[in-house]
Every structure is written in C-alpha cells, then in structure tokens.
Amino acid sequence: MDLDPLMLSRIQFAFTISFHILFPAFTIGLACWIVALEALWLRGGAIYRSLSEFWTKIFAISFGMGVVSGIVMTYQFGTNWSVFADATGFVLGPLIQYEVVTAFFLEAAFLGILLFGRDRVPKGIHFTAAFLVALGTVISAFWILSANSWMHTPAGAELGEDGRFRVSDWWEVVFNPSFPYRFSHMVTAAFLTTGFVVAGISAWFLLKYRHVEHARIGLGMSLGLITVLAPLQIVLGDLHGLNTLEHQPTKVAAMEGHWEGGAGAPLILFALPDMEAETNHWEVGIPELSSLILTHSLTGEVPGLLDVPAEERPYVPLIFWTFRIMVGLGLLMLVIAVTHVVLRLRGRLYEATWFHRLLVVTTPIGFVAIIAGWITTEVGRQPWIVYGLLPTADGVTPSLTGAAALVSLVTFLVVYALIFTAGTYYIVRLLQLGPKPPSHYLEPQAAQVAGRPMRPMSKTVESFEPGD
Amino acid sequence: MDWQDLTLIWTGICAFAVFMYVLMDGFDLGLGILFPFAPTDRDRDIMMNSVAPIWDFNETWLILGGAGLFAAFPVAYVVLLPAFYLPLLVMLVALIFRGVAFEFRFKAGASRHLWDTSFNLGSLVATFSQGVVLGAFIQGIAVEGRQYAGGMFDWLSLFSILCGVALVAGYGLLGATWLIWRSEGALQDWARAMSKRFLVAVLLFVLVVSAWTPLVNADIRARWFEWPNIALLSPVPIVTALVAYGLWRAVETGREVRPFALGMVLFLLSYLGLAISLWPNIIPPDVTIWDAASPPESQMFLLVGMVFLIPVVLVYTVYSYWVFRGKVSAEGFYH
C-alpha cells in the first residue's frame, strides 16, 4: 500500500482539531456561566454556589481534556506542516505566542484558585479568579480565530521571494477581513453550545424530579440566553456568509451547490453534488431564493463552481451537506427559542414535559453545529492552506514518511478514543450525582433558621417530588 | 534597537521559557516518576494534591516554549519538530495520560489504580522522551535549506537514550525535594531518602553526559577544552560539585526548602553548561540564532507585549503558588 503523508497528515489534523474544538466550544460558555452563578452567589443564595460548584467540576474535566488536546495542536503545525510553518511563521507565530501569554497562563493560573482555592482566598478573589478564567477563554478564542481567519483572508503580509510571508501591517493581519465575522460567529456558537447542554441537563433533572430547584434556575437562565443568541446567530451567520461571498466565492458556490453561477440562482434544499459530472443529482430548490439571500435581489449574480478550474475546487458534497446540517440546527435552535417564549408567557415552562424531552434530545446540537460549520469553512478553503497563495499540498513536512504519519494518526485515534470515553463516563457520573443541596453551604446557624433548604416555589416543587 | 539585539533578547526569552518549563513541570513530572514507590495510597493522594492546583500552569510553559520558537525562531521550529516526530508523539501522548489523570483520578472509583498507572507511566515516558529529544538535539540535526533533511529515526542513539534516563533521574530529584518541602512525617522521611538516591544518580549521569557530549560533538569539545576556555569555564563544574554537596547536606540536616532550591540551582548549572556548549547555535551543529530568527517587525510586535505580559505572568505565578503554600494533606484542596 502506498501511504501518502499528505493525506494522512490532513486526516490527522482534521481529526485532532475536531476533537479539540469540542472542549473550548463548551468551556468558553461554561466559564461565563460559572461567573454569572458566582456573581449571584456573592449577592447571597446558596443555591447558586451549589450550582456553580456542580458545573465547575464538569468544567474542570472538559478544560483538562481541552488543554492536553490543545498542546498537540501547537506542535502539529511543525511536525506535520513544516513548509506551512516556515512560510507563515513570521505572521502566525506571534499570534499564537500572544494567545499563550495573554490567555493560557491566565486561565491556568486562576483555574487552580477557582477549583481548589475557595477556602483559601476571600470571596471576592475567588470570584475574580472565575472571571479571569472566563476572560482567558475568550481571549484565547480571539487570537486563534485571528490566526485561522488570516489563513482564509491573508491581509497585511506579502509572500516574499524566499517563500515566506513578511508582515507589513500588524493591524491588518490581526483584524483581517474575515476575522470579526468568524470571531463573533464562533463565540456565539460556543455560548449556544453551553446553553443547550445546561438546558438539556436541567430538563433531564426536571423529568427525573431531581434537583428541581437547581434545574429550574438552569433551565430558565439557559433558555433566556438561547432566546437572545439563536436569532442573533442567524444574523451573524448571514453576515459571515456575505463576507465569504466577497473573499471566497468558490466556497459559497460549494455551500449553495451552484455549478453554474449567474443571475436568479435557486436556493437548493436537497441535491447530491457530483464532482466528476460537474452537476447535481436529485436537485430540489426554490427558484431565485439564493440570489435573494446572497445579493438581496432576485436577479443578483452569484458565483458558480464552474467559474474556476476543476483543480481549484474544494470537495463539494462535504461542504454542501455540512453547511445544511449547520443551518438546519441553527433553525432548530430558533424554533426552540420561540417555543420557550410561548411556554414562558403561558407560565408552563417548568411543566411542559414534552418540551423537556425535546431539550434532552437537543443537548449536543451545539457541538454538532460547530463541527459541521468548521468542516464547511475549512474544507471550503481547499485546495489552499493559505487562501489563494499557498496550496495545502505544498505545506506538508518534506521529511515525513507515510509510515510515520500512519503511526501518529492511529496513535491519536486510539488515545483520543480512550480519553474521550473515560472523560464522557466521568462527566455522566457527575451529572448523575447532581449538585449538592444548597443547605450544604449554609452556615450551621443559618441552616437551622432556614430549616429546610429555601424553596420559594415549594408548592410546585413538592408536587414534583412524590417521595418527598 | 537593531535586529541583532532583538534576536539576543528573544534568545533570552525563549531560553527562559524552556528553563521555566524544565523546572516547573520537572518537579511535578518527578512526582509522577516517584509515584508508584510511595509508601502508602494516602501518600500518593498527598503527592498528587501538592501539584493538582498548579500542574496545568506548569505545563503551559511547554506551550510557551513551542510557540516562542515558532514566533521568534521559526526555522528552529520548522526543523526540530519534524526531526523529533516520533519522540514528540510519544511525549504528547504521555502528557495526555498524565494530564487527564489529575482530573479523572479523584472522580474514579474502582478504576482509580488505572489512573495511578496513567499518571506514573505518563510522567515517566514524557520525561524520558524529553531527555531523548535533548540528547538528539545535542548530537546535531541534518538541515537542508530551511527544512529537516534527516530520517525518522536519526534521533535514536545510545547517547540520546542515556540522556532520556538522565532526565528521569533529574526530574525525580526535583520531585523528591519538592515533596520534602510540601509534606511531613513518614512521607517526608521517605522523600529525603529518595532525594539522596536520585542525587547520586543525577551526579553520575551529569558526569557521564558531560564526558560523552564532547565526544559526540567536536565543536563542543573545542568550546570547553581549548585554552583559555578551559580556565574560564572551569568554575561551572566546580560550582556544580559544591551545590551538589550543599544539597546532600541540606537533606541530611533536615532542611525543608533548601533541597528543592538547590535542586533547581543544579538544573540551572546544567542548563548553563548546555548553553555554553551550544552558543550561538539554535540547531547544532551550525544553524545560529541569527540564521533562524524572525525579521524585526515580527520580533518587535511580540516584544511590545512580552515586556508587560511576562512580568504579569510571573506575578500571578507567585500569587498562585502562595495561595497553595504550606504542607499538603491527603484531603488536599478538595473539600
């Protein structure tokens, strides 16, 4: 068998980055949610501390897996993509380095205090630690998305005679044309991901009549967030798409499944794109709608895949379908947001068990949407590693042998499968244990006065707990 | 400031980052190496607790080292990483098992021993591969243009294996002396005994590696043994011997902090010795820091940030260590 180090390296990168992104996608939102709970705890209310500690444990496991899988990424640029690293080192190196010193150290130093320091530092410092960890996660997203966006829209640097990019304007590099869109789209996606996890777990507790008070707070807060962010995300996604249309028209053509561009293009809902025949099979579309969405005019011109030579086209079926998965899930998020508003206005949010079941099912949709979206944008960049300037095929390490690349790929597959299984198992166990009762955190005296844990809505709660 | 000076500053920053990594992850990898030999399960809890709040922070220096090379000396990053493809793969996988053990072990029930093993083997193998990489680095790397030109197994030699074992002893010493500082009673006595054994091993390895290095690398031989260098550099081995003696005495006389401090000094001296050997090369035998450095606009852009950020990072390092000061119990910082 002929082992191709290029293909193996691409598979390895795709696999390790997809695995890695799950954790930051979750921890960015979770860190902010913990800050909100800690802020509420500062103002009193042991229930918030109990919730915060519950989610902090889950945060710790996810963050740990994010750290160890992230280190692999830092090294992989060099081990497998040394020509790419050589060409872009002057540009991307400093961005990654800034991520380390502004974000990673901040997160790592204050994570220790957040996890283990509650009894060792004053309340205010503990809150500050939670805040700084959350800030670190967002700063980290800022730098890495700046670096990634630069690979899509390389501005502020010129490719020199020696095959290396030299920076002429750092501002243009950092705030390259696709960065603001990608950053806001991704951070919102991360918040939505966490929102759906918190909503799903809270709904699950409600269905099981367990930790009802915690679950109501979790459900109320997460659905409130989803209601604001789900529609916002669709607007941001649209803006991001328009930006892509401007800078990477071929990618948009692949997302839309348009072989022939031109005026009055249909919005294709279903199709099986065929790369060899350069056409779609089984196409179902709505006439002129794509032109309307992309150009805000029924007769607007849209790009087509046939505009560029076959070797400059990315693999269309994958982009076409992952894009539809992402958009479909985004619309489902919107439906859930609207349903939530209706139920809340009718005062039935905490009783509608069918809705809670739906939320349990949709717990992972944020993760799926994020992976699908990243596949769309990254596969859509092909065949370029730096769009329009450096082909992916030229970026791979020349000394790398197919056998070595296979060994590393298989190793990462096996190790990540093991770690992921174990991590998921421990997270599920933590979820089954659930949060501690709020009375656990009251001062002994206060606990006596309060008698049983605070129950502002004890009537409904008791009807939920038959054995209580 | 001209580019020559900037490159020197960046050499200093990267050297500092790598050294910080070696010291800080050194002692918690060292604890992992000592782990299975600890007298009781309770002692293992204490050992793990003593670094649970800080390990992640310590490991971040490794990312700083990697990213620092990529940013300031991209040629070194581009050449060294492919050259060490397999040992780095092993190191990364070992660090994964070591890292998740911190999170999983305390949550595990029956499978706890699995994570004990994961922590121990992860630490041991990560350390060994770092040592192998160091040894292979000293031997020299084949470079063509700005790319690695050797094979996938060039790193493998008796010398690099020896360096791997030597680093295991070195990190073990750091781990044991750290434990003297942070534990008490029977565990502390055990840590003292371990410190002595590992010190002897370290001295043996330092001797062998120091004698062998000039043999594998002719430039290093010239650097140390030609007149007047031999006279000018003679304080390095002499001070090393004195520090080693001081460390032994400190363990004997029941000092608590001093063994760890002197252990770090011992590492600093070895590191200094290495720097003297290699200067001004960043990839032995003949790629210098200036050959590998970024252009001034990249160095300046980063330096502006580093001047503020590195001191800030150090301040909250100190704060974080201070929060978790004192002796550690089996219950640790979990409540």
Side-chain angles (χ1 to χ4, degrees):
Chain A
M1 194 173 59
D2 201 19
L3 294 169
D4 176 17
L6 171 66
M7 201 57 207
L8 291 166
S9 294
R10 287 182 66 184
I11 296 171
Q12 180 178 311
F13 199 91
F15 171 70
T16 49
I17 192 86
S18 303
F19 180 88
H20 172 67
I21 195 66
L22 296 174
F23 302 103
F26 182 45
T27 49
I28 290 172
L30 199 50
C32 295
W33 156 246
I34 289 166
V35 173
L37 292 171
E38 289 291 329
L40 289 165
W41 155 243
L42 276 185
R43 293 171 48 202
I47 181 96
Y48 295 112
R49 172 164 169 185
S50 155
L51 257 179
S52 173
E53 291 197 355
F54 171 63
W55 285 104
T56 302
K57 282 183 198 149
I58 292 168
F59 178 82
I61 293 191
S62 317
F63 192 85
M65 292 203 280
V67 169
V68 293
S69 60
I71 294 181
V72 174
M73 302 317 303
T74 321
Y75 281 77
Q76 206 167 191
F77 294 134
T79 51
N80 292 64
W81 300 99
S82 69
V83 174
F84 161 74
D86 178 55
T88 59
F90 302 157
V91 185
L92 299 183
L95 299 185
I96 309 272
Q97 176 81 331
Y98 263 117
E99 183 184 12
V100 180
V101 285
T102 57
F104 292 167
F105 278 116
L106 195 66
E107 292 172 88
F110 290 100
L111 181 70
I113 295 176
L114 174 66
L115 295 184
F116 308 104
R118 199 185 283 274
D119 300 330
R120 297 187 149 241
V121 295
K123 261 180 155 186
I125 300 276
H126 188 260
F127 171 77
T128 310
F131 174 77
L132 290 173
V133 170
L135 182 68
T137 63
V138 176
I139 295 176
S140 167
F142 174 93
W143 289 111
I144 201 67
L145 286 169
S146 173
N148 174 269
S149 297
W150 185 85
M151 291 162 66
H152 287 270
T153 49
E158 284 75 42
L159 190 54
E161 296 269 305
D162 63 349
R164 297 193 278 190
F165 288 94
R166 293 274 304 247
V167 172
S168 51
D169 186 336
W170 277 105
W171 186 266
E172 278 186 33
V173 168
V174 176
F175 295 94
N176 59 78
S178 65
F179 168 64
Y181 302 96
R182 202 180 309 275
F183 178 63
S184 47
H185 197 44
M186 179 60 194
V187 172
T188 310
F191 277 97
L192 279 168
T193 300
T194 312
F196 274 95
V197 173
V198 174
I201 303 303
S202 303
W204 183 66
F205 282 144
L206 281 181
L207 287 169
K208 296 259 170 197
Y209 307 122
R210 292 175 55 204
H211 317 293
V212 171
E213 201 185 346
H214 295 88
R216 285 167 156 254
I217 293 174
L219 196 72
M221 284 174 77
S222 59
L223 283 171
L225 183 81
I226 289 167
T227 304
V228 177
L229 293 185
L232 175 71
Q233 182 70 328
I234 292 172
V235 175
L236 291 172
D238 179 51
L239 291 172
H240 190 14
L242 293 179
N243 178 264
T244 310
L245 178 65
E246 188 186 337
H247 296 280
Q248 297 173 314
T250 312
K251 185 196 285 183
V252 173
M255 285 153 64
E256 296 287 310
H258 290 151
W259 292 92
E260 307 266 357
L267 181 71
I268 299 170
L269 299 177
F270 182 93
L272 298 177
D274 185 330
M275 291 292 283
E276 296 214 343
E278 302 187 331
T279 185
N280 293 334
H281 305 297
W282 306 96
E283 186 179 301
V284 181
I286 303 170
E288 291 169 0
L289 192 56
S290 178
S291 279
L292 183 68
I293 293 173
L294 288 172
T295 65
H296 299 178
S297 149
L298 285 174
T299 54
E301 295 267 342
V302 302
L305 287 158
L306 297 174
D307 298 352
V308 295
E311 62 275 12
E312 285 184 26
R313 290 176 211 150
Y315 184 64
V316 179
L318 193 56
I319 302 168
F320 181 84
W321 279 108
T322 52
F323 179 62
R324 265 147 200 75
I325 292 170
M326 178 189 73
V327 172
L329 291 176
L331 293 174
L332 177 61
M333 291 178 186
L334 184 67
V335 169
I336 288 171
V338 172
T339 312
H340 149 251
V341 174
V342 173
L343 284 173
R344 187 169 281 206
L345 289 177
R346 290 194 185 163
R348 293 192 37 78
L349 182 59
Y350 302 106
E351 284 84 43
T353 48
W354 63 270
F355 187 57
H356 302 161
R357 278 195 205 100
L358 173 67
L359 288 175
V360 172
V361 173
T362 56
T363 305
I365 61 171
F367 295 109
V368 181
I370 283 179
I371 296 283
W374 275 108
I375 292 174
T376 305
T377 198
E378 293 296 296
V379 176
R381 192 189 59 220
Q382 304 305 326
W384 306 101
I385 196 163
V386 178
Y387 193 73
L389 296 170
L390 184 66
T392 307
D394 293 357
V396 78
T397 301
S399 58
L400 182 63
T401 61
L406 183 68
V407 166
S408 61
L409 172 62
V410 172
T411 308
F412 281 123
L413 285 172
V414 172
V415 170
Y416 281 18
L418 281 175
I419 296 300
F420 192 68
T421 311
T424 311
Y425 172 75
Y426 290 120
I427 287 181
V428 169
R429 268 196 21 171
L430 281 176
L431 292 174
Q432 280 170 345
L433 285 173
K436 289 177 183 161
S439 56
H440 181 81
Y441 302 106
L442 293 176
E443 301 294 320
Q445 221 180 353
Q448 253 175 16
V449 175
R452 311 199 49 193
M454 298 161 296
R455 286 213 174 141
M457 288 163 236
S458 56
K459 230 175 198 168
T460 2
V461 173
E462 267 160 35
S463 72
F464 269 165
E465 291 179 332
D468 198 45
Chain B
M1 210 179 323
D2 74 352
W3 179 71
Q4 301 276 329
D5 296 332
L6 274 171
T7 302
L8 286 179
I9 293 173
W10 272 107
T11 308
I13 292 176
C14 285
F16 177 71
V18 171
F19 185 63
M20 284 300 280
Y21 173 73
V22 169
L23 279 191
M24 303 188 83
D25 215 19
F27 72 78
D28 47 52
L29 286 169
L31 282 184
I33 293 167
L34 297 169
F35 207 60
F37 309 109
T40 68
D41 242 8
R42 221 183 91 83
D43 293 332
R44 276 185 272 278
D45 287 348
I46 294 176
M47 289 165 77
M48 205 138 176
N49 279 325
S50 76
V51 288
I54 46 180
W55 76 271
D56 176 13
F57 188 82
N58 294 345
E59 200 168 290
T60 306
W61 290 97
L62 180 65
I63 314 181
L64 185 68
L69 272 188
F70 187 30
F73 300 99
V75 174
Y77 180 85
V78 161
V79 169
L80 294 177
L81 269 59
F84 304 137
Y85 193 87
L86 293 172
L88 284 179
L89 172 71
V90 172
M91 178 193 82
L92 290 170
V93 167
L95 286 177
I96 289 174
F97 280 106
R98 188 282 295 242
V100 295
F102 278 106
E103 291 305 331
F104 293 170
R105 183 177 183 270
F106 288 103
K107 277 137 195 137
S111 56
R112 187 180 177 120
H113 289 283
L114 213 65
W115 298 115
D116 281 353
T117 312
S118 164
F119 181 59
N120 167 240
L121 287 184
S123 304
L124 183 69
V125 173
T127 305
F128 178 73
S129 5
Q130 285 174 11
V132 168
V133 165
L134 175 69
F137 176 71
I138 296 171
Q139 285 178 76
I141 313 283
V143 184
E144 230 175 78
R146 294 188 307 266
Q147 291 287 340
Y148 174 58
M152 300 313 293
F153 289 95
D154 283 17
W155 51 271
L156 186 61
S157 71
L158 207 55
F159 180 72
S160 65
I161 301 284
L162 177 79
C163 288
V165 181
L167 199 65
V168 170
Y171 284 179
L173 175 66
L174 282 180
T177 51
W178 161 265
L179 199 57
I180 294 178
W181 180 19
R182 305 310 290 271
S183 67
E184 49 204 339
L187 180 60
Q188 196 187 39
D189 295 340
W190 177 77
R192 284 211 176 85
M194 282 291 136
S195 297
K196 283 190 192 164
R197 278 191 217 170
F198 275 90
L199 178 60
V200 172
V202 165
L203 290 176
L204 270 176
F205 281 118
V206 166
L207 219 62
V208 176
V209 172
S210 304
W212 198 340
T213 304
L215 297 178
V216 300
N217 187 319
D219 295 329
I220 297 180
R221 185 165 60 237
R223 176 69 43 86
W224 286 89
F225 294 105
E226 274 172 18
W227 192 259
N229 288 6
I230 191 163
L232 290 172
L233 297 176
S234 58
V236 178
I238 293 171
V239 174
T240 305
L242 286 175
V243 169
Y245 175 74
L247 177 51
W248 182 274
R249 287 291 303 156
V251 174
E252 287 263 284
T253 54
R255 294 284 189 158
E256 295 207 320
V257 187
R258 194 177 288 178
F260 183 58
L262 288 176
M264 293 200 290
V265 174
L266 210 54
F267 260 81
L268 180 65
L269 287 165
S270 309
Y271 194 69
L272 213 61
L274 186 66
I276 292 170
S277 298
L278 298 179
W279 177 264
N281 290 330
I282 194 159
I283 311 171
D286 45 32
V287 179
T288 68
I289 50 174
W290 292 284
D291 297 332
S294 285
E297 71 273 8
S298 295
Q299 292 179 330
M300 249 349 253
F301 171 69
L302 254 184
L303 192 63
V304 172
M306 295 304 128
V307 167
F308 294 100
L309 290 165
I310 297 259
V312 172
V313 165
L314 290 174
V315 166
Y316 57 66
T317 312
V318 171
Y319 177 72
S320 172
Y321 273 73
W322 184 76
V323 166
F324 298 103
R325 67 198 177 278
K327 300 290 182 189
V328 184
S329 70
E331 290 70 41
F333 307 109
Y334 283 91
H335 47 259

